[in-house]
Amino acid sequence: MASRGPLRLAAFALALSTFAGASLASEPEKPQADKPQTDKPLGVVELFTSQGCSSCPPADEFFAELAAKENVVALAYHVNYWDYLGWQDTLSNKENTDRQYDYMRAFGSRSVYTPQAVINGRSHVNGASRKDVDGALARMDRVGEGMRVGIKVSRTSDRVMIDAGDAGNGPSDAHVVIVYFDPPQMVKIGQGENSGRSLTYWNAVSDIQTAGMWHGKAQRYELPMSEIAKKGGCAVLLQSVGKDGMPGPILGAAFIRKPDRL
Protein backbone atom coordinates (compact mmCIF):
# COMPACT_ATOMS: atom_id res chain seq x y z
CA MET A 1 0.00 0.00 0.00
CA ALA A 2 1.27 3.49 -0.79
CA SER A 3 0.71 6.95 0.66
CA ARG A 4 2.19 10.44 0.70
CA GLY A 5 2.46 13.11 3.38
CA PRO A 6 4.53 15.89 4.97
CA LEU A 7 8.08 15.55 6.10
CA ARG A 8 9.21 16.42 9.59
CA LEU A 9 12.41 15.61 11.42
CA ALA A 10 11.86 13.91 14.78
CA ALA A 11 14.73 13.87 17.23
CA PHE A 12 15.52 15.35 20.57
CA ALA A 13 18.69 15.67 22.56
CA LEU A 14 19.56 13.31 25.38
CA ALA A 15 22.23 14.49 27.78
CA LEU A 16 25.18 12.14 27.80
CA SER A 17 28.77 12.34 28.93
CA THR A 18 31.18 11.43 26.12
CA PHE A 19 34.90 11.03 25.92
CA ALA A 20 37.50 9.36 23.75
CA GLY A 21 37.76 5.59 24.18
CA ALA A 22 41.54 5.70 23.96
CA SER A 23 41.87 7.71 27.15
CA LEU A 24 39.02 6.57 29.42
CA ALA A 25 39.18 7.64 33.06
CA SER A 26 38.73 5.07 35.80
CA GLU A 27 35.12 4.27 36.58
CA PRO A 28 33.39 3.86 39.93
CA GLU A 29 32.08 0.43 38.97
CA LYS A 30 33.37 -2.22 36.62
CA PRO A 31 31.06 -3.43 33.88
CA GLN A 32 29.52 -6.85 34.27
CA ALA A 33 31.82 -9.68 33.39
CA ASP A 34 29.50 -11.25 30.82
CA LYS A 35 30.74 -11.33 27.24
CA PRO A 36 29.96 -8.23 25.18
CA GLN A 37 27.53 -8.77 22.36
CA THR A 38 28.73 -9.03 18.77
CA ASP A 39 30.03 -5.58 17.89
CA LYS A 40 29.28 -5.89 14.15
CA PRO A 41 25.94 -7.54 13.36
CA LEU A 42 25.09 -8.55 9.82
CA GLY A 43 22.89 -5.51 9.40
CA VAL A 44 19.87 -3.42 10.39
CA VAL A 45 16.34 -4.01 9.12
CA GLU A 46 13.81 -1.22 9.73
CA LEU A 47 10.30 -2.38 8.86
CA PHE A 48 7.59 0.21 8.27
CA THR A 49 4.27 -1.49 8.88
CA SER A 50 0.68 -0.93 10.02
CA GLN A 51 -2.01 -2.96 11.75
CA GLY A 52 -4.48 -1.44 9.28
CA CYS A 53 -2.68 -2.62 6.13
CA SER A 54 -3.86 -5.92 4.63
CA SER A 55 -0.45 -6.41 2.96
CA CYS A 56 1.47 -6.25 6.24
CA PRO A 57 0.75 -9.48 8.19
CA PRO A 58 3.13 -11.61 6.05
CA ALA A 59 5.86 -9.01 6.61
CA ASP A 60 5.14 -8.91 10.35
CA GLU A 61 5.44 -12.71 10.54
CA PHE A 62 8.76 -12.70 8.67
CA PHE A 63 9.93 -9.81 10.84
CA ALA A 64 9.34 -11.93 13.96
CA GLU A 65 11.98 -14.33 12.61
CA LEU A 66 14.41 -11.47 12.01
CA ALA A 67 13.79 -10.11 15.51
CA ALA A 68 14.82 -13.47 16.96
CA LYS A 69 18.19 -13.44 15.20
CA GLU A 70 21.24 -12.44 17.22
CA ASN A 71 23.09 -11.01 14.22
CA VAL A 72 20.36 -8.67 12.92
CA VAL A 73 19.12 -5.47 14.58
CA ALA A 74 15.44 -5.54 13.60
CA LEU A 75 13.17 -2.57 14.39
CA ALA A 76 9.48 -2.16 13.47
CA TYR A 77 8.08 1.33 12.92
CA HIS A 78 4.27 1.35 12.99
CA VAL A 79 2.95 4.25 10.91
CA ASN A 80 -0.35 6.08 11.27
CA TYR A 81 -1.43 7.03 7.74
CA TRP A 82 -3.64 3.95 7.29
CA ASP A 83 -5.71 4.71 10.40
CA TYR A 84 -8.41 6.27 8.21
CA LEU A 85 -9.29 2.80 6.91
CA GLY A 86 -11.11 2.11 10.17
CA TRP A 87 -8.52 0.89 12.68
CA GLN A 88 -6.12 3.07 14.64
CA ASP A 89 -2.80 1.23 14.92
CA THR A 90 -2.19 0.82 18.66
CA LEU A 91 1.59 0.92 18.22
CA SER A 92 1.90 3.78 15.74
CA ASN A 93 3.16 7.29 16.37
CA LYS A 94 3.88 10.36 14.33
CA GLU A 95 7.66 10.11 14.78
CA ASN A 96 7.67 6.68 13.10
CA THR A 97 5.77 8.08 10.15
CA ASP A 98 8.12 11.06 9.98
CA ARG A 99 11.13 8.73 9.85
CA GLN A 100 9.66 6.90 6.88
CA TYR A 101 9.08 10.16 5.02
CA ASP A 102 12.64 11.19 5.84
CA TYR A 103 13.85 8.01 4.15
CA MET A 104 11.53 8.71 1.20
CA ARG A 105 13.25 12.03 0.62
CA ALA A 106 16.71 10.56 1.20
CA PHE A 107 16.07 7.85 -1.43
CA GLY A 108 14.58 10.34 -3.88
CA SER A 109 11.27 8.45 -3.87
CA ARG A 110 7.89 10.01 -4.54
CA SER A 111 5.82 8.03 -2.03
CA VAL A 112 5.97 5.69 0.94
CA TYR A 113 4.40 2.25 1.24
CA THR A 114 3.84 -0.61 3.64
CA PRO A 115 5.35 -3.04 4.26
CA GLN A 116 8.65 -1.32 3.50
CA ALA A 117 11.96 -2.65 4.82
CA VAL A 118 14.91 -0.24 4.88
CA ILE A 119 18.20 -2.12 4.94
CA ASN A 120 21.21 -0.50 6.67
CA GLY A 121 19.72 2.91 5.88
CA ARG A 122 20.91 2.43 2.29
CA SER A 123 18.03 0.96 0.27
CA HIS A 124 14.51 -0.34 0.61
CA VAL A 125 12.69 -3.51 -0.43
CA ASN A 126 9.33 -5.19 0.06
CA GLY A 127 9.28 -6.10 3.76
CA ALA A 128 7.31 -9.27 3.07
CA SER A 129 9.92 -10.64 0.65
CA ARG A 130 12.35 -12.93 2.47
CA LYS A 131 14.40 -13.19 -0.71
CA ASP A 132 14.75 -9.42 -1.08
CA VAL A 133 15.52 -8.70 2.58
CA ASP A 134 18.02 -11.55 3.02
CA GLY A 135 19.54 -10.78 -0.36
CA ALA A 136 20.05 -7.10 0.47
CA LEU A 137 21.69 -7.93 3.81
CA ALA A 138 24.04 -10.45 2.20
CA ARG A 139 24.93 -8.20 -0.73
CA MET A 140 25.68 -5.18 1.46
CA ASP A 141 27.82 -7.27 3.76
CA ARG A 142 29.74 -8.60 0.76
CA VAL A 143 30.44 -5.21 -0.85
CA GLY A 144 31.37 -3.34 2.34
CA GLU A 145 28.02 -1.62 2.94
CA GLY A 146 27.27 -3.50 6.13
CA MET A 147 28.18 -2.55 9.67
CA ARG A 148 31.61 -0.91 9.31
CA VAL A 149 32.05 0.42 12.84
CA GLY A 150 31.99 -1.84 15.87
CA ILE A 151 29.73 -0.97 18.80
CA LYS A 152 30.04 -2.67 22.17
CA VAL A 153 27.60 -2.32 25.05
CA SER A 154 28.44 -2.92 28.71
CA ARG A 155 26.66 -1.99 31.92
CA THR A 156 26.96 -1.41 35.63
CA SER A 157 24.14 -1.16 38.15
CA ASP A 158 23.46 2.48 37.31
CA ARG A 159 24.63 3.09 33.76
CA VAL A 160 25.04 1.69 30.26
CA MET A 161 28.26 2.30 28.35
CA ILE A 162 28.21 2.41 24.55
CA ASP A 163 31.65 2.17 22.95
CA ALA A 164 31.77 3.13 19.28
CA GLY A 165 34.89 2.04 17.45
CA ASP A 166 37.37 3.80 15.20
CA ALA A 167 36.53 4.13 11.50
CA GLY A 168 40.16 4.30 10.36
CA ASN A 169 40.05 5.83 6.89
CA GLY A 170 36.29 5.40 6.68
CA PRO A 171 33.42 7.79 7.43
CA SER A 172 34.05 10.49 10.01
CA ASP A 173 30.66 11.78 11.19
CA ALA A 174 27.43 10.17 12.34
CA HIS A 175 24.62 10.57 14.81
CA VAL A 176 24.29 8.25 17.79
CA VAL A 177 20.60 7.32 17.67
CA ILE A 178 18.86 5.48 20.51
CA VAL A 179 15.75 3.61 19.38
CA TYR A 180 13.37 2.41 22.11
CA PHE A 181 10.88 -0.34 21.38
CA ASP A 182 8.08 -2.22 23.13
CA PRO A 183 8.28 -5.82 24.31
CA PRO A 184 6.52 -8.33 22.02
CA GLN A 185 2.76 -8.18 22.32
CA MET A 186 -0.34 -9.67 20.77
CA VAL A 187 -2.97 -7.29 19.40
CA LYS A 188 -6.52 -8.23 18.46
CA ILE A 189 -7.57 -6.02 15.57
CA GLY A 190 -11.20 -4.97 15.77
CA GLN A 191 -11.81 -3.08 12.54
CA GLY A 192 -10.29 -2.24 9.18
CA GLU A 193 -8.66 -4.49 6.61
CA ASN A 194 -7.32 -6.95 9.21
CA SER A 195 -10.46 -7.02 11.34
CA GLY A 196 -10.79 -10.16 13.47
CA ARG A 197 -7.11 -11.11 13.31
CA SER A 198 -4.88 -11.44 16.36
CA LEU A 199 -1.27 -10.65 15.47
CA THR A 200 1.94 -10.59 17.50
CA TYR A 201 4.23 -7.62 17.01
CA TRP A 202 7.93 -7.54 17.87
CA ASN A 203 10.27 -4.60 18.55
CA ALA A 204 7.63 -1.96 17.82
CA VAL A 205 9.43 1.38 18.06
CA SER A 206 8.04 3.75 20.69
CA ASP A 207 10.64 6.53 20.77
CA ILE A 208 13.70 7.76 18.86
CA GLN A 209 16.36 9.99 20.42
CA THR A 210 19.51 11.47 18.95
CA ALA A 211 21.99 11.06 21.79
CA GLY A 212 25.17 12.61 20.43
CA MET A 213 27.71 12.80 17.63
CA TRP A 214 30.48 10.42 16.58
CA HIS A 215 33.43 11.84 14.65
CA GLY A 216 35.21 8.77 13.33
CA LYS A 217 37.29 8.01 16.42
CA ALA A 218 36.70 5.58 19.26
CA GLN A 219 34.37 7.21 21.72
CA ARG A 220 32.23 6.27 24.73
CA TYR A 221 28.69 7.37 25.49
CA GLU A 222 26.86 6.79 28.76
CA LEU A 223 23.16 6.36 29.48
CA PRO A 224 21.51 6.09 32.90
CA MET A 225 20.32 2.55 33.58
CA SER A 226 17.15 4.02 35.09
CA GLU A 227 16.18 5.37 31.65
CA ILE A 228 16.87 2.07 29.90
CA ALA A 229 14.94 0.09 32.52
CA LYS A 230 11.75 2.02 31.74
CA LYS A 231 11.63 0.66 28.19
CA GLY A 232 10.82 -2.76 26.77
CA GLY A 233 14.05 -2.75 24.79
CA CYS A 234 16.36 -0.44 22.88
CA ALA A 235 19.04 -0.37 20.24
CA VAL A 236 21.77 2.06 19.26
CA LEU A 237 22.34 3.06 15.64
CA LEU A 238 25.40 4.90 14.38
CA GLN A 239 23.82 6.67 11.42
CA SER A 240 25.26 9.20 9.03
CA VAL A 241 23.07 12.18 8.22
CA GLY A 242 23.10 14.24 5.03
CA LYS A 243 23.58 18.00 4.88
CA ASP A 244 19.83 18.26 4.36
CA GLY A 245 19.24 16.45 7.65
CA MET A 246 17.98 13.30 5.99
CA PRO A 247 19.05 9.87 7.35
CA GLY A 248 21.91 8.13 5.59
CA PRO A 249 23.78 4.81 5.82
CA ILE A 250 23.87 3.06 9.18
CA LEU A 251 27.52 2.37 10.02
CA GLY A 252 27.14 0.40 13.24
CA ALA A 253 24.42 -0.97 15.49
CA ALA A 254 23.80 -2.99 18.63
CA PHE A 255 21.04 -3.93 21.00
CA ILE A 256 21.29 -2.33 24.42
CA ARG A 257 18.38 -4.28 25.88
CA LYS A 258 16.44 -6.91 23.97
CA PRO A 259 13.35 -8.73 25.29
CA ASP A 260 13.17 -12.26 23.89
CA ARG A 261 9.67 -13.51 24.67
CA LEU A 262 6.06 -12.53 25.28
Side-chain angles (χ1 to χ4, degrees):
M1 299 177 71
S3 179
R4 300 188 66 177
L7 168 69
R8 294 189 62 182
L9 182 62
F12 57 95
L14 175 67
L16 299 173
S17 64
T18 63
F19 48 93
S23 58
L24 300 179
S26 60
E27 298 169 4
E29 282 187 77
K30 292 183 179 180
Q32 293 177 355
D34 53 337
K35 289 184 179 180
Q37 46 188 282
T38 301
D39 64 349
K40 289 184 181 180
L42 176 63
V44 176
V45 177
E46 297 177 276
L47 176 68
F48 293 91
T49 185
S50 172
Q51 295 169 8
C53 164
S54 61
S55 303
C56 288
D60 297 323
E61 292 174 5
F62 172 45
F63 180 84
E65 297 179 32
L66 292 172
K69 294 179 179 292
E70 293 298 325
N71 67 337
V72 174
V73 174
L75 302 166
Y77 299 80
H78 286 245
V79 298
N80 59 15
Y81 48 78
W82 296 126
D83 290 357
Y84 79 92
L85 294 176
W87 177 255
Q88 184 172 345
D89 191 309
T90 61
L91 300 172
S92 69
N93 61 58
K94 183 179 180 299
E95 288 72 23
N96 290 349
T97 304
D98 288 342
R99 184 165 175 84
Q100 187 178 27
Y101 278 104
D102 286 348
Y103 272 129
M104 178 194 77
R105 295 292 182 90
F107 295 146
S109 302
R110 299 181 62 183
S111 65
V112 296
Y113 63 93
T114 55
Q116 179 188 40
V118 175
I119 313 299
N120 296 348
R122 294 178 179 271
S123 67
H124 62 97
V125 298
N126 181 347
S129 173
R130 182 186 304 269
K131 178 182 177 181
D132 288 348
V133 173
D134 288 346
L137 285 168
R139 178 185 61 79
M140 290 185 190
D141 184 58
R142 186 172 61 250
V143 302
E145 294 181 347
M147 301 297 97
R148 302 176 62 180
V149 179
I151 295 180
K152 294 182 179 180
V153 176
S154 56
R155 55 183 60 85
T156 67
S157 61
D158 66 345
R159 73 192 69 182
V160 171
M161 284 75 72
I162 302 167
D163 288 292
D166 193 308
N169 294 324
S172 59
D173 286 295
H175 287 191
V176 180
V177 181
I178 309 299
V179 183
Y180 295 99
F181 54 87
D182 293 333
Q185 56 191 287
M186 181 177 291
V187 176
K188 184 174 182 179
I189 300 173
Q191 298 182 57
E193 294 188 342
N194 293 316
S195 179
R197 302 187 69 165
S198 293
L199 301 171
T200 300
Y201 295 102
W202 290 77
N203 299 5
V205 172
S206 58
D207 194 10
I208 311 167
Q209 300 178 354
T210 299
M213 289 289 296
W214 171 85
H215 299 293
K217 301 298 181 182
Q219 193 162 348
R220 170 168 287 188
Y221 307 83
E222 293 188 7
L223 291 169
M225 180 61 78
S226 58
E227 184 70 18
I228 300 300
K230 296 176 184 176
K231 311 295 183 178
C234 56
V236 56
L237 307 179
L238 198 65
Q239 185 164 29
S240 59
V241 175
K243 293 181 179 179
D244 55 1
M246 297 299 99
I250 296 172
L251 310 175
F255 282 113
I256 300 174
R257 185 168 183 253
K258 179 183 178 184
D260 58 2
R261 63 181 182 273
L262 288 169

